Amino acid sequence: MENTYTLITGASSGIGRAFALEYGKRGQNLIITARSGDKLQELKREIEKDNQVSIECIIMDLAAEGSAKLLYEEIRKRKLHVDALINNAGFATKGLFHKTDYKRQHEEMLLNIVSLTELTYLLLEDMCQKRHGTVINIASAASFNPLPYSAVYAATKAYVLSFTQALSFEYQDYGVKLLADCPGATDTHFFDGFKTAASRPRMPEDVVRTTEKALKKGKSICTDGTFCKAQMLLSRIASRKSALGIMGKTGRKTWG
């Protein structure tokens, strides 16, 4: 269908931008959304320059209350059909919990959990009716263990992992694929403001490639990078207390 689109949130930079560029090369029509209209328009021009695709830009701050419904209503108003959703938008707060601005942490929960959940909910019905669709929810290596000094972020990503894996089972007979993508350290704005130099061994394009491989294999979870695999292994072989101690030392050194 000419008006079938992939919706990518947080598309203006990082992993979201990499997904947009790759899907555009494949000839997939895109709905790209983020807070920055200028960056969205720049990305639209870059993709359309070499590819015969339709790109719809929607400026939206998904960290705002009710924004997911507004985005969905705008998509319906434009009479666009979404057959793939990439819930990529997200951010992390860092530092001692009570000394970190709570308004910002509340926005973090709205974006990482509420908007992701609501968009998935709103778009799944059409996918089920068509017996076709894909939902990729960007989780994190932090999904597997509590992370002191970034407690809210890790908790939101643990939610994303659990939520997505549960839905992947619920909808396996409806023709809808759901994948929780858990990138490790990736060269994005996530590392801006770190107290210590952080390793950035992966590029956003690497995440896109491993995600596509996982989808083709029918997986419900994608572990991307050595650090992510180590986090998953730690959650399996160490006690909760031991894992907390290890992650706590890392968190204190990096963000404390």
Side-chain angles (χ1 to χ4, degrees):
M1 295 177 62
E2 291 184 359
N3 61 342
T4 298
Y5 289 76
T6 293
L7 169 60
I8 305 174
T9 70
S12 61
S13 64
I15 294 172
R17 188 175 188 277
F19 269 110
L21 290 169
E22 178 60 29
Y23 279 39
K25 289 178 185 176
R26 299 180 186 181
Q28 175 64 54
N29 298 327
L30 301 174
I31 303 168
I32 53 176
T33 182
R35 294 177 299 170
S36 173
D38 290 343
K39 289 183 179 180
L40 288 178
Q41 289 297 329
E42 180 184 341
L43 178 59
K44 172 183 168 74
R45 288 191 294 271
E46 183 176 351
I47 296 172
E48 289 182 337
K49 181 176 65 176
D50 299 315
N51 305 282
Q52 296 298 315
V53 294
S54 173
I55 310 292
E56 296 280 338
C57 298
I58 302 177
I59 302 171
M60 189 67 64
D61 181 4
L62 288 170
E65 194 81 52
S67 54
K69 182 125 183 258
L70 289 175
L71 175 59
Y72 177 71
E73 289 173 348
E74 180 62 26
I75 291 169
R76 288 181 64 85
K77 180 181 177 182
R78 299 189 191 189
K79 297 182 179 180
L80 308 174
H81 299 276
V82 176
D83 69 348
L85 167 63
I86 302 176
N87 274 312
N88 166 75
F91 71 88
T93 54
K94 308 143 193 171
L96 196 63
F97 174 66
H98 83 280
K99 290 188 176 181
T100 303
D101 180 59
Y102 184 73
K103 182 177 181 295
R104 190 63 174 155
Q105 292 184 92
H106 181 66
E107 291 172 346
E108 181 181 21
M109 290 183 280
L110 284 173
L111 179 58
N112 295 5
I113 295 178
V114 178
S115 287
L116 176 146
T117 303
E118 191 165 0
L119 279 176
T120 303
Y121 177 84
L122 291 169
L123 293 169
L124 265 177
E125 184 174 358
D126 285 345
M127 293 181 184
C128 288
Q129 288 179 353
K130 296 173 185 176
R131 312 293 291 188
H132 174 75
T134 302
V135 178
I136 300 169
N137 290 329
I138 305 299
S140 169
S143 302
F144 301 103
N145 297 288
L147 182 55
Y149 305 98
S150 196
V152 172
Y153 174 73
T156 64
K157 293 303 184 178
Y159 170 88
V160 173
L161 175 59
S162 177
F163 171 71
T164 308
Q165 286 194 290
L167 292 192
S168 72
F169 184 90
E170 288 185 35
Y171 290 93
Q172 60 186 333
D173 296 328
Y174 288 82
V176 180
K177 298 178 182 179
L178 290 105
L179 175 70
D181 194 349
C182 301
T186 308
D187 192 3
T188 69
H189 290 305
F190 176 86
F191 287 101
D192 294 346
F194 274 37
K195 283 186 176 182
T196 59
S199 173
R200 302 184 180 189
R202 306 282 288 171
M203 297 300 292
E205 295 77 13
D206 297 324
V207 177
V208 175
R209 281 192 290 270
T210 55
T211 302
E212 290 304 302
K213 289 179 182 178
L215 279 174
K216 289 177 181 178
K217 292 179 180 179
K219 294 184 177 181
S220 64
I221 178 173
C222 174
T223 53
D224 187 272
T226 303
F227 180 72
C228 180
K229 292 176 182 178
Q231 288 297 301
M232 185 170 67
L233 182 61
L234 179 65
S235 69
R236 292 177 176 177
I237 65 174
S239 68
R240 193 75 167 172
K241 181 179 179 180
S242 297
L244 180 61
I246 293 169
M247 298 309 298
K249 289 177 182 177
T250 301
R252 183 185 294 120
K253 181 179 179 181
T254 308
W255 303 295

